[in-house]
Amino acid sequence: MIKPSIPRGMRDFSPEVTVKRNFIFRSIRETFEKFGFLPLETPSMENLSVLTGKYGDEGDKLLFKVLNSGDFLLKVEEKEQLLSDSNLLSSKISEKGLRYDLTVPFARYVVMNRNEIAFPFKRYQIQPVWRADRPQKGRYREFYQCDADVIGTASLICEAEIALMVHEAFSKLGLRDYVLKFNSRKILEGIAEVAGESERSETFFVALDKLDKIGLDGVKQELYKRDFSDDFIQNLVEIISFTGSNKAKIEFLKKTLKNSPVGTIGIEEVEKVLLYINSFVGEMSEIEFDFNLARGLSYYTGIIFEARATNVKIGSIGGGGRYDNLTGVFGMPDVSGVGFSFGIDRIYDVMDELQLFESQEVSTTKILITNFEENAEKFALRMLSKIRAAGINAEIYPDTVKLKKQLNYANKKNIPYVLIIGPDELKKAVCTLKIMVTGDQAELSIEELIKKLVAEKK
């Protein structure tokens, strides 16, 4: 007999967990639609030509590749020689891969449907993605992303709206202790320029992106391994070690990057985003300008974001940024876009650790109708139909068993109400409503019961 198991980094979700996850999905979806985004879905698999080269060298290594259908070795010649070159072999036997994120497939979709889309195009997507990463707490091989992007405009109003959208979504979820860090890739290019390594800025971004994981000393070692000079590393450390308020950081960078045109543009972007946010809602205490923020994906070109819970050690729970030419690799150049992705799995872990889920978020059933008296069954079924017709989630216990067993069932499923229908209730043509949390009971007519449940639903 084979012992059942699932691959590492993949998970089953129990009904209780799924209900909680659906609450998160629903809250984020409502926020996306409130901000004018339209739903979109793309296939789980994309051609590898779409996926490769968009996430940097390290990202490409984490792609899950799918073997060609049928005889996947059909195109392989001189098999013994190919086996020594995994990249060459892979290109021969695999033409498709599981999507790594939702942004690149979105860019592909935009190019393929450019004539049907009204620009600026605002879309949201809530779907799973796959990465061949090493599984650990908060990092899985299959996980959901909740993306919202607007493409076809370079306006920094969009970046300001992302900050507001993140605030709205987290407020709906009850997640108030968070920080939304943001930066501009142009500032990082400016730092690389004044530190003397403008030609290798992408390599610098990849190393700096690991700052939270490996610390400053770790970043220095990473840069030494990549043959960056002592002078560059010393200049870099002096710059990224600066701390202060958003305003103080901006003033510091204005002096530091005064001889860098691209860095100056980045500072102007940051100032403008903050100005727009202030125009919308005034100063947001949750937003922090952090010019050490890099974001590892290579397609970012402008403002970048990263959200973190401040009182849970779990890493980023969302991120995104501006990309000016992602559609260009698919034949549609100079189309700017910006987006943000909520990491649903990490958000769940944060909310679970902080006990932010309410009791009504762990069950789909509002009321259970008991079934311990055979003569009451017909009456109970009619009651069930009327309750459901009023828009109330309800179920009947399918078997005629003792009342205690049915009450235990309701407790295990976190059903808040139980409707008891026995001989006494049949005689009076009423029902007894039991509130499971308090144990209180009340006799109600069906009209009174429905009125009460509908009022609570509102």
Side-chain angles (χ1 to χ4, degrees):
M1 183 173 62
I2 298 173
K3 184 179 180 181
S5 63
I6 55 176
R8 290 185 64 224
M10 312 287 183
R11 295 161 296 159
D12 291 319
F13 298 110
S14 68
E16 181 181 1
V17 171
T18 301
V19 169
K20 293 176 181 178
R21 285 166 60 86
N22 285 344
F23 166 70
I24 300 175
F25 288 135
R26 186 169 60 251
S27 299
I28 293 175
R29 182 180 290 108
E30 288 172 356
T31 302
F32 286 160
E33 294 183 353
K34 184 175 182 178
F35 279 73
F37 293 90
L38 295 169
L40 177 70
E41 291 190 0
T42 58
S44 300
M45 280 192 295
E46 295 277 352
N47 292 322
L48 284 175
S49 59
V50 169
L51 299 175
T52 53
K54 315 303 186 303
Y55 308 107
D57 291 340
E58 295 196 9
D60 282 352
K61 294 175 184 175
L62 300 181
L63 289 173
F64 271 113
K65 298 174 182 178
V66 179
L67 290 176
N68 293 337
S69 302
D71 184 1
F72 59 87
L73 289 174
L74 191 63
K75 296 181 181 179
V76 176
E77 299 175 359
E78 300 177 2
K79 298 177 184 177
E80 294 79 6
Q81 294 181 28
L82 286 168
L83 288 174
S84 63
D85 186 340
S86 60
N87 289 328
L88 182 57
L89 178 62
S90 177
S91 67
K92 293 280 187 177
I93 66 176
S94 177
E95 297 171 352
K96 301 176 288 295
L98 296 177
R99 60 172 173 247
Y100 181 92
D101 75 345
L102 299 177
T103 308
V104 170
F106 169 57
R108 188 266 308 152
Y109 173 88
V110 168
V111 174
M112 291 181 66
N113 296 273
R114 70 183 87 180
N115 295 325
E116 288 78 41
I117 291 173
F119 292 99
F121 179 44
K122 301 179 76 171
R123 84 84 174 88
Y124 74 84
Q125 228 173 312
I126 300 177
Q127 290 186 279
V129 299
W130 294 267
R131 297 181 186 178
D133 212 344
R134 183 172 63 87
Q136 54 186 290
K137 179 178 172 58
R139 189 180 295 274
Y140 310 102
R141 287 177 171 168
E142 179 186 56
F143 56 97
Y144 267 78
Q145 288 185 337
C146 302
D147 275 24
D149 287 72
V150 53
I151 196 164
T153 173
S155 172
L156 291 170
I157 287 177
C158 301
E159 274 84 345
E161 285 228 282
I162 282 177
L164 302 181
M165 184 180 69
V166 170
H167 180 75
E168 174 92 10
F170 286 162
S171 295
K172 275 181 173 289
L173 297 172
L175 184 57
R176 310 202 187 281
D177 295 327
Y178 76 93
V179 59
L180 179 64
K181 296 187 176 187
F182 83 114
N183 191 17
S184 172
R185 274 292 184 95
K186 295 182 179 69
I187 286 176
L188 294 177
E189 289 178 26
I191 291 173
E193 185 177 7
V194 300
E197 286 283 2
S198 58
E199 297 299 318
R200 293 202 290 161
S201 58
E202 284 290 337
T203 307
F204 157 57
F205 296 166
V206 172
L208 186 61
D209 189 45
K210 300 177 182 179
L211 182 62
D212 285 338
K213 299 175 187 174
I214 62 178
L216 185 56
D217 288 338
V219 171
K220 288 164 65 176
Q221 291 303 315
E222 187 87 8
L223 292 171
Y224 278 126
K225 288 179 186 177
R226 297 173 184 266
D227 297 323
F228 282 85
S229 67
D230 289 335
D231 287 343
F232 172 84
I233 294 172
Q234 184 177 346
N235 289 337
L236 175 65
V237 170
E238 289 178 4
I239 294 172
I240 67 176
S241 298
F242 182 85
T243 59
S245 65
N246 290 344
K247 185 177 180 181
K249 290 174 184 174
I250 289 171
E251 294 304 316
F252 168 75
L253 285 179
K254 282 182 177 179
K255 297 174 183 176
T256 305
L257 305 183
K258 62 183 178 181
N259 294 323
S260 170
V262 66
T264 300
I265 293 172
I267 296 168
E268 291 171 356
E269 287 180 347
V270 166
E271 286 187 300
K272 198 163 187 179
V273 170
L274 289 172
L275 184 64
Y276 278 136
I277 291 173
N278 288 338
S279 298
F280 275 119
V281 294
E283 188 171 343
M284 283 180 64
S285 60
E286 298 89 354
I287 192 159
E288 177 188 334
F289 169 44
D290 180 0
F291 55 81
N292 295 333
L293 180 65
R295 302 289 294 169
L297 298 179
S298 60
Y299 55 68
Y300 291 129
T301 56
I303 295 292
I304 49 178
F305 295 96
E306 188 167 280
R308 290 176 175 268
T310 55
N311 44 13
V312 177
K313 292 183 178 180
I314 202 168
S316 166
I317 56 175
R322 169 73 61 174
Y323 43 91
D324 285 327
N325 198 31
L326 189 54
T327 57
V329 297
F330 303 122
M332 189 177 171
D334 303 321
V335 180
S336 188
V338 64
F340 189 87
S341 178
F342 292 93
I344 181 74
D345 299 273
R346 287 188 175 182
I347 289 173
Y348 176 92
D349 290 344
V350 168
M351 292 182 64
D352 195 46
E353 183 170 333
L354 297 178
Q355 299 181 335
L356 296 180
F357 292 107
E358 297 181 11
S359 59
Q360 64 264 29
E361 290 155 10
V362 298
S363 178
T364 58
T365 302
K366 183 77 171 178
I367 187 166
L368 171 72
I369 299 179
T370 59
N371 184 8
F372 66 94
E373 168 62 47
E374 289 185 10
N375 295 330
E377 196 172 77
K378 275 189 180 179
F379 181 63
L381 291 173
R382 287 198 300 271
M383 295 277 279
L384 179 62
S385 295
K386 288 181 180 179
I387 292 169
R388 286 176 177 166
I392 307 300
N393 295 349
E395 62 178 288
I396 187 169
Y397 198 87
D399 301 311
T400 304
V401 296
K402 291 182 179 180
L403 179 60
K404 183 179 180 182
K405 185 174 182 179
Q406 299 180 56
L407 294 177
N408 287 338
Y409 172 80
N411 271 327
K412 287 182 178 179
K413 284 193 69 176
N414 291 292
I415 299 173
Y417 295 111
V418 171
L419 201 59
I420 300 172
I421 302 173
D424 294 339
E425 285 81 11
L426 273 179
K427 288 178 186 177
K428 300 177 185 177
V430 296
C431 49
T432 298
L433 180 68
K434 183 179 181 69
I435 303 171
M436 295 302 292
V437 173
T438 63
D440 295 339
Q441 297 186 175
E443 280 191 358
L444 301 170
S445 68
I446 184 61
E447 291 79 13
E448 291 171 332
L449 171 70
I450 290 174
K451 186 177 180 181
K452 173 181 174 62
L453 294 178
V454 169
E456 286 195 7
K457 188 178 179 182
K458 293 177 180 178

